[in-house]
């Protein structure tokens, strides 16, 4: 996440610096990335080859969670840190359940916004818009005209934070960021959260991966299951609770080792 002096997101693309969204796109087999992203992603994969399968497992969790929440009647989604658009993104998944679903995507990477806006220019995307902003400034997200025009704050919203909170350092106050967002949402709103963890990898692997991301535009902060559960204090956590992403309401028999994938997922309701 790059910033200009004064705390505003930088307008520079900075292709020479790896960006987590573009690295994630590479893990998923996408082509919207630069040499620096591919080189950093390959170093991360050399340290932990499961990065690619974890990214795919997270994508599957996101789709299942979005379908479930849309099936509950939630027809407004705020997806922050959306990443490079791919098939089965939030708007496609939610609108396959209910075509009237409205979606606001938020990201701070210019290439993400360019591709997302190009995708939204076509037909069949319902009421969907894209906003450039940064998760570390939740008040600016909530105050953005795009959010106010598309989402009704008096009705439940699904807040999607998929594989993005682990790019906030502790000094960024991730719990406070989440609290600001949730406080602005109506009762009955839902949180879809996934978060990387180092619970299942050796310390030396964790340190190598952390080193790769320390040279990117955002660090990678793996947190424990207890820490992820702490983000959900005050919310009603849906079954099966905080679990590794393949184990959140799987559609088939989970693969061996699914309980040790380095990403936790959960869906929770604001009472």
């Amino acid at each position: 996440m790059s910033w200009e002096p004064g705390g505003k997101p930088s307008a520079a693309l900075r292709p020479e610096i790896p960006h987590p969204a573009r690295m994630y796109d590479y893990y998923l087999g996408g082509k919207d990335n630069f040499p620096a992203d591919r080189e950093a992603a390959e170093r991360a994969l050399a340290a932990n080859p499961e990065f690619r399968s974890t990214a795919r497992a997270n994508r599957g969790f996101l789709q299942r969670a979005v379908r479930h929440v849309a099936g509950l009647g939630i027809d407004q989604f705020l997806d922050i840190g959306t990443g490079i658009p791919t098939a089965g993104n939030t708007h496609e998944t939610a609108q396959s359940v209910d075509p009237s679903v409205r979606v606001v995507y938020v990201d701070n990477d210019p290439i993400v916004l360019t591709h997302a806006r190009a995708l939204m220019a076509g037909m069949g995307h319902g009421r969907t818009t894209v906003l450039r902003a940064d998760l570390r400034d939740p008040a600016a997200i909530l105050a953005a005209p795009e959010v106010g025009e598309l989402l009704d704050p008096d009705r439940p919203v699904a807040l999607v934070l998929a594989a993005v909170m682990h790019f906030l350092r502790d000094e960024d106050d991730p719990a406070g960021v989440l609290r600001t967002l949730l406080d602005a949402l109506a009762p009955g709103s839902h949180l879809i959260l996934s978060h990387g963890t180092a619970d299942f990898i050796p310390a030396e692997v964790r340190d190598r991966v952390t080193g790769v991301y320390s040279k990117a535009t955002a660090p990678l902060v793996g947190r424990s299951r207890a820490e992820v559960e702490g983000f959900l204090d005050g919310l009603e956590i849906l079954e099966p609770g905080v679990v590794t992403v393949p184990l959140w309401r799987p559609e088939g028999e989970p693969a061996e080792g699914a309980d040790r994938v380095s990403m936790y997922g959960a869906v929770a309701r604001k009472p």
Side-chain angles (χ1 to χ4, degrees):
M1 298 178 179
S2 56
W3 287 69
E4 295 174 346
K8 295 182 180 180
S10 170
L13 184 58
R14 305 298 298 276
E16 75 281 6
I17 301 177
H19 191 288
R22 301 192 299 261
M23 292 170 65
Y24 188 79
D25 175 70
Y26 180 78
Y27 299 143
L28 289 172
K31 301 182 185 304
D32 298 313
N33 43 71
F34 295 110
D37 306 309
R38 295 190 286 274
E39 292 165 8
E42 285 294 344
R43 290 197 298 274
L45 287 166
N48 184 2
E50 295 181 0
F51 255 98
R52 182 165 280 127
S53 59
T54 298
R56 291 170 178 163
N58 179 67
R59 175 60 51 142
F61 159 76
L62 173 63
Q63 293 168 346
R64 296 192 304 277
V66 166
R67 279 197 299 270
H68 179 76
V69 172
L72 295 176
I74 305 297
D75 60 2
Q76 307 185 103
F77 285 73
L78 178 59
D79 185 338
I80 304 177
T82 177
I84 306 288
T86 61
N89 254 31
T90 296
H91 75 282
E92 292 179 338
T93 304
Q95 290 166 0
S96 72
V97 176
D98 177 0
S100 71
V101 164
R102 292 169 285 173
V103 180
V104 176
Y105 285 122
V106 181
D107 207 288
N108 71 341
D109 181 15
I111 196 171
V112 168
L113 301 184
T114 297
H115 283 272
R117 285 169 178 154
L119 179 66
M120 300 311 145
M123 298 295 291
H125 297 294
R127 298 188 63 188
T128 305
T129 192
V130 185
L131 165 68
R132 186 173 183 213
D134 197 290
L135 177 58
R136 291 172 294 185
D137 191 356
I141 293 173
L142 295 167
E146 294 91 337
V147 173
E149 290 168 5
L150 207 62
L151 305 183
D152 180 354
D154 295 326
R155 297 175 52 247
V157 172
L159 172 63
V160 181
L161 295 170
V164 65
M165 290 284 283
H166 49 233
F167 296 121
L168 298 186
R169 299 178 177 91
D170 290 345
E171 52 264 39
D172 293 322
D173 188 18
V177 166
L178 181 54
R179 188 163 53 249
T180 297
L181 292 167
L182 288 171
D183 284 350
L185 303 183
S189 293
H190 283 65
L191 170 65
I192 297 173
L193 174 70
S194 62
H195 195 298
T197 183
D199 282 356
F200 311 114
I201 60 175
E204 61 270 22
V205 173
R206 178 201 62 204
D207 293 344
R208 288 176 64 192
V209 169
T210 300
V212 171
Y213 277 88
S214 70
K215 297 177 175 63
T217 59
L220 180 62
V221 184
R223 294 186 170 93
S224 68
R225 178 174 178 173
E227 289 175 306
V228 174
E229 289 174 336
F231 289 142
L232 306 178
D233 284 349
L235 303 177
E236 300 169 355
I237 304 175
L238 277 59
E239 292 293 337
V242 178
V243 295
T244 58
V245 285
L247 297 184
W248 197 89
R249 305 196 180 197
E251 295 171 344
E253 186 67 25
E256 184 177 353
D259 59 340
R260 298 182 63 81
V261 169
S262 295
M263 186 86 70
Y264 287 118
V267 178
R269 179 183 182 275
K270 179 179 177 178

